[in-house]
Amino acid sequence: VNPVIVDGVTSDTLLAFVAKRRKMDGKKTGSKVSAETIRKDLRTIRAALAAAHDKRYLTVIPKLPKVDGYASD
């Protein structure tokens, strides 16, 4: 693991990830990736960032963006 790369993850990076993910095609023809799928992706990313923080590769965990289109956000 290269801590320099992990340390480059910022709130802006995560916002860009969500924006790109929103534009991706979904499983059904003509659909886009759902808000729930993006939230699942962010949960996985949060777990990875937490592990990096525990191992001191990150000093702070960046704030994760809210996903529009999901009722409980």
Side-chain angles (χ1 to χ4, degrees), residues 14-43:
L14 295 171
L15 280 171
F17 168 78
V18 169
K20 283 185 180 182
R21 195 75 170 104
R22 279 235 180 252
K23 294 177 184 177
M24 292 180 170
D25 292 333
K27 285 186 176 181
K28 295 181 182 177
T29 304
S31 70
K32 296 294 180 189
V33 173
S34 73
E36 177 58 23
T37 299
I38 297 170
R39 283 177 46 89
K40 287 178 186 178
D41 292 343
L42 289 174
R43 281 196 299 268

Side-chain angles (χ1 to χ4, degrees), residues 1 6-7 46-59 61:
V1 175
V6 176
D7 197 37
R46 181 184 317 129
L49 292 174
H53 183 261
D54 289 346
K55 296 204 182 270
R56 301 180 192 258
Y57 292 137
L58 279 176
T59 54
I61 299 173

Side-chain angles (χ1 to χ4, degrees), residues 9-15 42 49 60-66:
V9 177
T10 64
S11 294
D12 290 337
T13 306
L14 295 171
L15 280 171
L42 289 174
L49 292 174
V60 294
I61 299 173
K63 183 174 170 79
L64 296 173
K66 294 195 181 227

